[in-house]
Amino acid sequence: MEVVVASSSIDAGIGCWDIRTGNEQLRYKSCASPPHGLVSVGNRFLASSQPRESSTSGSILYWSWKKPQVEVKSFPAEPIKPLVSNSVGSYLIGGGASGYIYFWEVPTGRLLWKWHAHYRAVTCLVLSDDDSLLISGSEDGCVRVWSLFMIFDKIGRAEAKHLYEHSFSEHTLRVTDVVAGYGGSNAIIVSASEDRTCKVWSLSKGRLLRNIEFPSIINAIALDPGEHVFFAGGRDGKIYIAALGAGSSSDSIYGMHIIGSFSDHSKSVTCLSFCADGISLVSGSEDGLIRIWDTKSHNIIRMFRHSKGPVSNVLVVSRPEMILNPQASLRRKHLSVLPPALERYSDSTEEAVGLKAVIPDWSAPAEPLDVSYISEHVMNNQIEEIQRQGSYAAAEMETERLKQDLKKAAQMLQQLRKSYDGLHEFCVNELMSENGFNELYMK
Amino acid sequence: MAAFDHFHDMYDVALKPRLLRTLLEEQVPDEKQPFRNPSVLSSVVSIIKTHGLLSESFYPSIDKGHLGSWKSAVDDWVDRILKLVSSNMPDKCWAGICLLGVTCSECSTSRFLASYSAWFNELLSHIQLSSGSQFVKVASCASTSDLLTRLGGSPNVKKDGTSHAGKLVQPILKLLNEDHSEAACEAGAYLLSIIITVFPSSVHRFYNNVEDALVSKIMTGNCTPKLLKKLACCLALLPKSRGDEESWCLMMQKILLSISSQLNEALEGLEEESKHDEAIALLVPAGKSPHHPIRGSADCSSTMLTSSFPVRVIVPVPALLAMVRRVLLVDGSLPRSLLSFTTAMQQEFICSQLPVLHLYSLEVLAAVVKGISSQLLPHAADIVRLLTEYLKRCRFSELRIKVYSIIKVLLISMGVGIVSSLSQELINGAFVDLNPADGWSSVTSPSVISHSSGEATLRPHRGKRKHTTLFPEEKHNTLCLELEESKDSSTLMAVKIAALGALEALLTVGSALGNDNWRSSIDKLLITLTTDACRRGWAHDEATWADFQHSALRALLASLLAPARVRPPYLAQGLDIFRKGKQATGTKVAEFCTHALLALEVLIHPRVLPLVDFPSPSMKTFGGQREFEFGGRKQNFPSRGGMLGMDLGGDSDADDYLNEIYLENVDGNVSMASAEKAISLEGKKNTYIDQNAERPSHILVDESTDRKAEPKDTSQKPPSSITDVTSGRRNCDEMMLVPEHFNEPIQRPEELSSRRVGGSLVAERQYGKPESVGDGDTLHLLGTAPSDRDLLAAMDISVENAVADADTLKPSQAGLDNDSSSDPFPDIVDGDPDSD
């Protein structure tokens, strides 16, 4: 079931609506998450960061799909704002207010590594489509690309001058959003900043490809799946369409590369997300409404009211069907238990003992029993063996059969002998009795 | 039955009972007649399966009479089979058991549920029997497995099934302990694994017994590899019966300890840290292979890692990796400190066994990679380092195959991040394996030397050789490549196939990061190799040679498709090979070549697909005649179709970017062409900006989708005007571009200067010669464009130039701006070009 999940920066819980029917589902309680602070971990459960205002601590909360209450609470060493999880949900990565990035293993809750990524707070995190590169944006305007492989390569880490693959510092103000495109190493990334620009970068070359100036600060970006254009949600309430693959002209009223815009005259657009169909675009706004747009016609298809406060995150998640199929949930009841809380500090003894992995991981689907019928196959093999007549077992069966034949034959012999004896006796008796003899004779 | 009671057709339900009865009468053995020819069973089973004779499934509309007769026929069938099963003639009993197994999988659900219990007891009695034919036992185990498999699929009989399956465990253990026949043990082990998989809790009570029996059987060391694999699989599945974390971990720990202790024994004398006792190593008789148990343990741990488990367990990855590393680091050489303690004989013995040990540990490594794929990250660097080191040293074909396959899996699962640390060694290794002419002389594996020294004879070709004269080097290549049918070279082929697979993965995953130094050599290697491989025509699907061709073609496709700075240098040759391959009808090569041609089509005809498939407004409105306004003048143009005298299918190709390009060249009409392009790509705009006609003011294609970006725009403006570029709106559009990006390596000097000034001049060249599609320069342009992001910037420059130039032509600018602003994209689909 494809659902829109939304949270607000004030405590209004996490709203959840079925896209197809528009019905509101369970509302998950007590969540006030900053932008980019809500993730669906491998589509198995929701996680959200909860930095407390004017506090040096914060928490990360887990909700399972079935219960409105928070099920697991973790308390990291510092307030975490942006969160991201890889597509199978085995890792959770959080960006701290101090510029540190924290890397947790979800099934065990272990803090595998943390590193100093930026000079100021991390504002957004995103993974490349093959989950191998992490892109982080910061308050100081810096966008950095990290190779996760490199992060965990102790020897390579020591040799390298810097940990990151690329560091883009062209933005002059806080980075508000980063998205990564399609194509693994050949992808583009688009970043938005409070300096009113969006910038398109090449991931492979590490270079700025395009700079687009907007009339307003862009809070959120969503990439068209065909990467023909991207949509940029502005603080002025408009959703701008900016050209990537599309032709763009210099004479747009909005400026270079901006093809157009659409809006509902609402307050600031805070977050954007594409639905699975690649056509419907979900936007969250400061006025507490969530709108679903048809990007072809630019009409609003649906509108949900989340709360009075601003919507800070919208996600489109294909939630596992759980109510309709009790059999399946019964079978997997072990796995529906949420993983343990995230560790606050990395355990130094881990380093010595080594890290352990967990199977089956969260991604493992309920495997059908991979058994197949074999008797025909076995039979055919055996027939072949018999026909080759070379094998011991075939010969054995043949012997056994012959033995049985022999037994039968012996029995038959016995019987025949018996009946012969009977007949013989009868005849002798007949012949011997005078009466019979005479009769025979007379004829 | 009436002689002329015909059926409707072969799907008719009335046919089924009659066919079944005929089978019973004519082919299925009975008690009276001797059973001579077992192969009839196979045909009986095949008829039953094809026609679904036992299924008793029907459409509701079916005649009740047919149904009754079918039911009674199946009843008779079951009766007959049960009689056969209880027959005291072993061959008939065997036949009955086999057919019962088939019946279990084929009969209707209701019949199965009604009678499985009775059938089970029949089968059980045959398994329990300590005497009796092996054949019967094997067949009973197989049929029982099928019965349980089917039972496991039915939802409501779990409890009953568990109690039934529980009865089997002891007899199977007895079978494993007593029986010396390989086949019976195999069947028993398979049955046991089915029981554990389908009804895990039935084994719970016997957990320790089962474990003991399996371990002792594995440790006897006289099982064939096939049996060993089955036993190991059972052992690996065993923790499922308890279904808790402790038993899994305990099992894993036991296995690792056992491997470790066996390794201590096996590697005695070669490892410094281990205490050695010459006598112990010598005690192991040379003929006996002591590593079967290790194989069993390795198999077991691999299965444990890769099969599912009901609860999450913690895998001791470091311990597994340490074990693997321990084995792989031993290469049979003696550390100096041990020289005096180890005899040559001991060393010889260990070296003879080492490759097998390496293979087992690589298998464990492969299982680790597969089993914990999504959590591999913290360990990936260690694994990669281990593998690359090992690949450098390893010279045996089978081991290299394994290493390549692990590398391939790693590349695919870890993505681009892993490429940089892996690529160099992988490429070096692949060059050695794929390039016989250069490689074999420097790196020599024994089997290879004998080949290249000409020991092998040239075989007659299957296909015709087209090239009669060969260069010496080529000859050498062909010599090596033609050995495919001899046994040794089939492993050689397998190494090549594995190396090609790893290269393909490398190109697929990481070529964008790849620096050009390895790309060009890899591309060359692959085209040479594929050309060689395909020169003699196409092999049959079964041959190793066909696999080799297939994997060469796959790697070639990856090399052509992988992003690069310039057009793939061997595109033409590659296309030619794929076209030829497509003609090998009915082979998988042809299948793949067709796919490759489709994939490459996008490379040749790049598409920029718009988000909205809006129709082109003017085309619809004006049909054959269109009006455009250029530079304030109204001009009438016939539509393209009309002009060319062909029906281009109206607006269906209006969005077709390529058609636009080509039509432009045919027309030779500047304004027309660029205007049309503007229609199709801008789509929403109903007014055309005058400078469009004069110079490139649009980026018609953008570079962000990688493959298609060329400054397609045209210009009539002489290049000299571009000196104005610094004026106007330049400052608004931040340019990221520095001219060095245009210094393409292959560029000609005169082109260099022209391209430096941006897209417009290049475009002018292109435009100035309408026929230049086939021209070298243009081709170069086209080739350069697809993969290079520089072009995005290049286009930026051209836009910038255009913008700058546009500022010099003020006349209608303001009005146009107004106009386009009143049409915010893309609300208005249709519009009137006259409105301006």
Side-chain angles (χ1 to χ4, degrees):
Chain A
M1 189 204 299
E2 201 180 7
V3 292
V4 174
V5 179
S7 67
S8 167
S9 49
I10 60 160
D11 186 358
I14 303 173
C16 185
W17 295 267
D18 184 347
I19 285 188
R20 204 166 39 83
T21 62
N23 296 332
E24 176 155 14
Q25 313 284 310
L26 205 56
R27 190 169 277 234
Y28 305 97
K29 287 178 187 158
S30 49
C31 170
S33 61
H36 312 293
L38 177 70
V39 286
S40 139
V41 182
N43 286 358
R44 303 198 56 84
F45 61 93
L46 291 170
S48 169
S49 58
Q50 314 278 315
R52 253 168 255 146
E53 287 301 320
S54 67
S55 161
T56 53
S57 66
S59 58
I60 293 176
L61 309 180
Y62 289 173
W63 292 261
S64 77
W65 288 114
K66 289 175 194 162
K67 285 191 204 162
Q69 292 84 16
V70 176
E71 289 200 33
V72 179
K73 284 186 185 175
S74 317
F75 299 95
E78 60 167 316
I80 299 289
K81 278 185 175 170
L83 272 184
V84 69
S85 164
N86 61 340
S87 51
V88 297
S90 55
Y91 302 116
L92 194 62
I93 309 166
S98 65
Y100 269 91
I101 293 181
Y102 295 78
F103 197 104
W104 287 280
E105 185 176 64
V106 173
T108 56
R110 285 194 185 93
L111 177 60
L112 294 184
W113 189 247
K114 65 166 188 177
W115 71 97
H116 195 241
H118 290 280
Y119 296 108
R120 297 194 54 196
V122 183
T123 53
C124 48
L125 289 170
V126 66
L127 284 164
S128 66
D129 69 347
D130 62 354
D131 284 339
S132 71
L133 300 174
L134 174 73
I135 301 128
S136 61
S138 157
E139 270 183 9
D140 57 15
C142 197
V143 175
R144 283 180 171 169
V145 181
W146 314 86
S147 160
L148 294 183
F149 177 80
M150 180 76 166
I151 297 288
F152 285 100
D153 183 357
K154 272 180 221 133
I155 299 167
R157 213 157 55 196
E159 285 167 2
K161 268 181 281 171
H162 47 73
L163 263 178
Y164 53 80
E165 300 290 308
H166 304 299
S167 178
F168 304 127
S169 46
E170 275 85 345
H171 280 302
T172 51
L173 291 171
R174 201 174 109 96
V175 177
T176 52
D177 197 5
V178 178
V179 291
Y182 164 84
S185 57
N186 209 27
I188 53 160
I189 53 178
V190 185
S191 60
S193 159
E194 283 181 354
D195 64 8
R196 297 191 174 211
T197 63
C198 285
K199 295 182 198 289
V200 184
W201 316 85
S202 155
L203 209 47
S204 57
K205 303 274 188 303
R207 212 172 43 218
L208 179 57
L209 298 175
R210 178 171 283 187
N211 179 48
I212 306 171
E213 282 190 37
F214 285 86
S216 145
I217 291 175
I218 298 303
N219 280 329
I221 311 173
L223 264 183
D224 155 37
E227 291 185 21
H228 197 245
V229 296
F230 70 86
F231 296 88
R235 228 162 250 192
D236 56 1
K238 284 189 177 134
I239 298 175
Y240 293 95
I241 304 162
L244 289 171
S248 60
S249 65
S250 54
D251 56 325
S252 156
I253 48 157
Y254 301 116
M256 189 70 182
H257 302 305
I258 303 174
I259 300 170
S261 75
F262 48 94
S263 80
D264 191 30
H265 305 291
S266 66
K267 286 194 196 166
S268 165
V269 177
T270 52
C271 41
L272 291 173
S273 175
F274 256 105
C275 296
D277 62 6
I279 294 167
S280 319
L281 180 71
V282 185
S283 73
S285 164
E286 215 152 56
D287 58 15
L289 288 177
I290 295 150
R291 298 171 176 81
I292 304 185
W293 305 81
D294 181 341
T295 50
K296 278 187 176 173
S297 64
H298 299 175
N299 293 328
I300 294 177
I301 311 170
R302 282 190 192 287
M303 207 141 65
F304 306 124
R305 170 162 291 281
H306 179 257
S307 65
K308 291 223 170 62
V311 176
S312 60
N313 289 283
V314 286
L315 303 174
V316 178
V317 182
S318 86
R319 196 182 71 176
E321 300 278 340
M322 49 204 183
I323 299 103
L324 294 178
N325 193 351
Q327 193 72 37
S329 64
L330 205 73
R331 198 164 55 227
R332 296 179 62 77
K333 66 174 179 249
H334 296 291
L335 279 185
S336 66
V337 182
L338 288 187
L342 302 172
E343 281 175 1
R344 192 177 171 90
Y345 303 107
S346 64
D347 189 349
S348 53
T349 58
E350 289 298 329
E351 285 286 316
V353 179
L355 303 155
K356 292 175 174 183
V358 166
I359 58 168
D361 58 51
W362 290 94
S363 61
E367 256 173 63
L369 296 173
D370 54 344
V371 288
S372 51
Y373 296 117
I374 57 158
S375 57
E376 187 190 1
H377 177 71
V378 168
M379 184 190 80
N380 287 335
N381 282 349
Q382 289 188 326
I383 290 172
E384 219 171 84
E385 208 175 307
I386 293 173
Q387 282 166 342
R388 275 206 315 275
Q389 288 185 338
S391 96
Y392 165 75
E396 189 202 352
M397 190 168 82
E398 187 64 13
T399 324
E400 198 74 18
R401 191 183 65 78
L402 290 174
K403 261 189 211 156
Q404 293 292 337
D405 270 348
L406 183 68
K407 213 194 249 172
K408 235 184 208 170
Q411 278 171 0
M412 190 89 81
L413 186 68
Q414 206 75 39
Q415 255 172 10
L416 284 175
R417 172 157 287 161
K418 225 186 216 164
S419 51
Y420 167 77
D421 285 347
L423 271 175
H424 184 253
E425 204 179 308
F426 172 75
C427 289
V428 169
N429 288 347
E430 284 294 301
L431 286 173
M432 286 305 158
S433 73
E434 214 169 331
N435 192 11
F437 180 80
N438 285 343
E439 268 179 28
L440 204 68
Y441 200 72
M442 294 294 282
K443 277 181 183 171
Chain B
M1 218 171 284
F4 295 98
D5 189 4
H6 295 296
F7 311 109
H8 186 245
D9 56 15
M10 69 175 176
Y11 310 108
D12 192 350
V13 174
L15 170 67
K16 295 178 195 290
R18 275 174 63 175
L19 209 51
L20 192 59
R21 284 189 191 285
T22 316
L23 282 182
L24 274 178
E25 277 161 28
E26 291 171 7
Q27 305 211 24
V28 179
D30 60 19
E31 289 137 296
K32 290 168 199 119
Q33 305 299 318
F35 175 43
R36 284 287 166 220
N37 183 11
S39 61
V40 296
L41 287 189
S42 157
S43 74
V44 167
V45 170
S46 113
I47 291 178
I48 282 181
K49 286 202 152 175
T50 316
H51 289 267
L53 291 186
L54 301 178
S55 64
E56 296 180 70
S57 67
F58 47 85
Y59 301 107
S61 62
I62 232 68
D63 182 8
K64 287 276 186 295
H66 292 315
L67 221 57
S69 74
W70 195 0
K71 189 173 176 302
S72 76
V74 179
D75 284 342
D76 289 352
W77 162 269
V78 172
D79 282 349
R80 170 77 69 82
I81 283 170
L82 288 180
K83 266 183 202 143
L84 284 174
V85 170
S86 48
S87 156
N88 55 4
M89 296 296 282
D91 51 347
K92 285 180 188 163
C93 174
W94 167 76
I97 288 170
C98 288
L99 292 178
L100 186 57
V102 173
T103 311
C104 283
S105 59
E106 285 291 302
C107 70
S108 70
T109 311
S110 57
R111 185 178 289 275
F112 178 77
L113 289 179
S115 28
Y116 75 88
S117 194
W119 297 349
F120 177 84
N121 288 331
E122 287 288 339
L123 291 171
L124 180 63
S125 67
H126 283 282
I127 296 175
Q128 274 170 332
L129 226 55
S130 50
S131 61
S133 159
Q134 296 299 329
F135 251 55
V136 173
K137 273 198 181 158
V138 172
S140 325
C141 286
S143 295
T144 315
S145 318
D146 280 5
L147 191 144
L148 292 179
T149 306
R150 177 101 192 240
L151 202 56
S154 323
N156 299 323
V157 287
K158 269 264 158 1
K159 209 169 166 190
D160 206 23
T162 305
S163 77
H164 276 86
K167 292 181 205 156
L168 278 166
V169 178
Q170 294 286 18
I172 294 172
L173 293 187
K174 206 169 121 215
L175 186 89
L176 288 178
N177 284 332
E178 292 172 357
D179 231 302
H180 301 297
S181 139
E182 198 74 23
C185 285
E186 256 179 59
Y190 182 79
L191 178 55
L192 190 57
S193 68
I194 289 283
I195 295 174
I196 301 172
T197 316
V198 182
F199 299 109
S201 50
S202 61
V203 193
H204 196 135
R205 281 186 293 147
F206 310 100
Y207 190 93
N208 290 327
N209 301 352
V210 174
E211 187 182 339
D212 290 348
L214 289 172
V215 169
S216 68
K217 188 82 186 171
I218 288 173
M219 291 301 167
T220 52
N222 53 10
C223 308
T224 60
K226 210 170 145 199
L227 175 58
L228 208 51
K229 207 169 182 70
K230 288 220 162 102
L231 292 171
C233 173
C234 276
L235 191 59
L237 292 173
L238 192 56
K240 275 192 185 181
S241 71
R242 284 198 175 148
D244 57 353
E245 190 179 340
E246 294 92 84
S247 49
W248 194 95
C249 293
L250 190 66
M251 181 68 79
M252 187 51 105
Q253 207 177 350
K254 279 182 188 168
I255 289 166
L256 284 175
L257 284 175
S258 118
I259 292 179
S260 165
S261 74
Q262 289 163 50
L263 282 178
N264 286 342
E265 204 175 301
L267 301 178
E268 189 78 52
L270 279 192
E271 286 181 317
E272 288 195 63
E273 61 267 50
S274 66
K275 290 210 180 97
H276 50 80
D277 185 359
E278 211 174 310
I280 291 181
L282 287 173
L283 275 177
V284 182
K288 186 188 162 199
S289 157
H291 299 306
H292 270 152
I294 294 194
R295 189 200 173 101
S297 313
D299 273 350
C300 182
S301 57
S302 307
T303 317
M304 283 176 77
L305 287 169
T306 50
S307 61
S308 68
F309 196 68
V311 295
R312 281 174 295 127
V313 291
I314 290 183
V315 184
V317 183
L320 284 162
L321 290 183
M323 193 272 285
V324 172
R325 183 176 297 115
R326 177 184 171 191
V327 177
L328 293 187
L329 287 183
V330 177
D331 63 354
S333 62
L334 283 175
R336 196 165 281 280
S337 59
L338 291 177
L339 276 178
S340 49
F341 298 102
T342 313
T343 62
M345 185 180 159
Q346 201 179 347
Q347 193 187 10
E348 179 194 325
F349 174 70
I350 295 171
C351 285
S352 74
Q353 301 294 335
L354 260 181
V356 193
L357 288 181
H358 281 198
L359 190 65
Y360 296 158
S361 44
L362 285 173
E363 270 163 15
V364 172
L365 183 59
V368 169
V369 169
K370 185 164 177 263
I372 60 165
S373 57
S374 66
Q375 296 160 81
L376 200 59
L377 212 40
H379 315 282
D382 284 349
I383 295 177
V384 166
R385 206 158 280 126
L386 181 65
L387 279 176
T388 49
E389 281 298 306
Y390 186 71
L391 189 63
K392 245 189 271 182
R393 290 182 287 120
C394 162
R395 292 183 192 171
F396 289 137
S397 302
E398 264 133 59
L399 301 177
R400 289 185 80 89
I401 293 172
K402 204 77 208 170
V403 174
Y404 280 129
S405 77
I406 299 175
I407 288 180
K408 181 175 158 181
V409 173
L410 270 177
L411 275 169
I412 291 171
S413 79
M414 301 294 298
V416 65
I418 205 171
V419 168
S420 57
S421 55
L422 202 59
S423 56
Q424 202 48 54
E425 288 308 325
L426 172 59
I427 288 164
N428 291 347
F431 258 89
V432 172
D433 283 325
L434 294 175
N435 204 351
D438 313 331
W440 298 131
S441 48
S442 53
V443 178
T444 47
S445 88
S447 62
V448 174
I449 295 175
S450 67
H451 287 157
S452 42
S453 62
E455 195 180 290
T457 49
L458 220 88
R459 292 171 163 271
H461 309 297
R462 249 187 248 145
K464 279 180 288 186
R465 180 182 302 215
K466 283 173 190 149
H467 304 268
T468 45
T469 56
L470 289 170
F471 299 107
E473 187 198 74
E474 234 180 332
K475 203 167 201 166
H476 180 82
N477 273 347
T478 350
L479 181 77
C480 277
L481 293 176
E482 277 176 31
L483 296 165
E484 88 269 20
E485 276 151 290
S486 75
K487 184 175 167 288
D488 264 333
S489 84
S490 81
T491 50
L492 215 66
M493 276 300 136
V495 180
K496 286 176 188 244
I497 292 170
L500 283 169
L503 274 189
E504 186 198 347
L506 179 70
L507 285 167
T508 310
V509 172
S511 47
L513 290 189
N515 12 34
D516 295 334
N517 55 19
W518 61 261
R519 255 316 279 286
S520 56
S521 52
I522 288 285
D523 286 346
K524 183 155 195 304
L525 172 71
L526 287 177
I527 189 73
T528 321
L529 189 84
T530 319
T531 317
D532 257 358
C534 304
R535 180 170 292 148
R536 302 184 305 132
W538 309 98
H540 295 294
D541 271 353
E542 299 78 35
T544 325
W545 187 249
D547 288 336
F548 175 61
Q549 285 179 333
H550 190 228
S551 46
L553 289 169
R554 287 176 64 104
L556 179 65
L557 178 63
S559 119
L560 293 178
L561 283 179
R565 291 180 148 262
V566 292
R567 181 219 301 224
Y570 308 106
L571 181 62
Q573 289 99 312
L575 285 175
D576 189 48
I577 291 174
F578 288 128
R579 271 188 217 112
K580 281 187 190 140
K582 197 181 161 190
Q583 291 159 6
T585 312
T587 61
K588 65 181 172 193
V589 163
E591 223 168 90
F592 180 75
C593 286
T594 315
H595 162 75
L597 287 172
L598 174 68
L600 286 169
E601 196 263 344
V602 184
L603 189 64
I604 294 164
H605 304 151
R607 298 170 202 152
V608 182
L609 299 175
L611 169 67
V612 186
D613 50 345
F614 36 73
S616 180
S618 318
M619 298 262 255
K620 275 192 172 163
T621 316
F622 293 102
Q625 287 280 313
R626 265 187 276 168
E627 287 181 67
F628 297 108
E629 195 170 327
F630 289 109
R633 285 177 299 137
K634 277 191 178 170
Q635 292 179 326
N636 285 347
F637 293 106
S639 77
R640 278 176 316 173
M643 196 159 186
L644 295 169
M646 33 185 187
D647 182 11
L648 287 169
D651 58 351
S652 67
D653 61 347
D655 298 327
D656 191 336
Y657 168 62
L658 267 182
N659 278 357
E660 300 300 331
I661 303 171
Y662 296 143
L663 282 166
E664 169 186 352
N665 284 309
V666 173
D667 288 357
N669 184 322
V670 193
S671 324
M672 167 68 197
S674 69
E676 279 195 356
K677 238 193 285 184
I679 293 172
S680 67
L681 290 171
E682 295 288 316
K684 292 298 152 188
K685 295 211 155 64
N686 52 6
T687 306
Y688 295 93
I689 304 136
D690 59 345
Q691 66 261 36
N692 231 356
E694 310 270 338
R695 70 197 72 260
S697 66
H698 282 54
I699 291 183
L700 288 169
V701 190
D702 220 331
E703 176 35 24
S704 51
T705 45
D706 278 353
R707 304 222 171 269
K708 34 236 146 176
E710 298 136 56
K712 284 293 185 300
D713 232 6
T714 59
S715 168
Q716 289 183 317
K717 182 112 183 156
S720 58
S721 74
I722 290 174
T723 47
D724 309 299
V725 290
T726 48
S727 68
R729 289 164 63 178
R730 172 159 204 158
N731 295 336
C732 327
D733 293 306
E734 293 179 20
M735 282 304 113
M736 295 49 257
L737 239 245
V738 279
E740 292 90 79
H741 296 319
F742 292 110
N743 286 325
E744 295 293 346
I746 321 169
Q747 208 157 30
R748 294 192 208 156
E750 78 267 18
E751 207 178 335
L752 199 71
S753 62
S754 67
R755 290 192 68 193
R756 240 175 227 281
V757 295
S760 47
L761 181 58
V762 178
E764 191 204 34
R765 286 173 62 98
Q766 189 183 357
Y767 196 70
K769 293 184 269 179
E771 72 282 3
S772 70
V773 184
D775 184 285
D777 292 348
T778 322
L779 277 182
H780 171 219
L781 249 184
L782 285 165
T784 310
S787 54
D788 200 342
R789 285 180 189 284
D790 292 351
L791 271 169
L792 179 60
M795 279 180 294
D796 269 328
I797 275 202
S798 82
V799 170
E800 175 191 24
N801 292 338
V803 168
D805 289 350
D807 285 349
T808 65
L809 292 180
K810 290 287 180 201
S812 59
Q813 178 86 26
L816 285 167
D817 274 355
N818 285 342
D819 201 307
S820 59
S821 67
S822 67
D823 291 333
F825 170 89
D827 278 335
I828 299 177
V829 174
D830 216 346
D832 188 352
D834 280 337
S835 65
D836 193 46

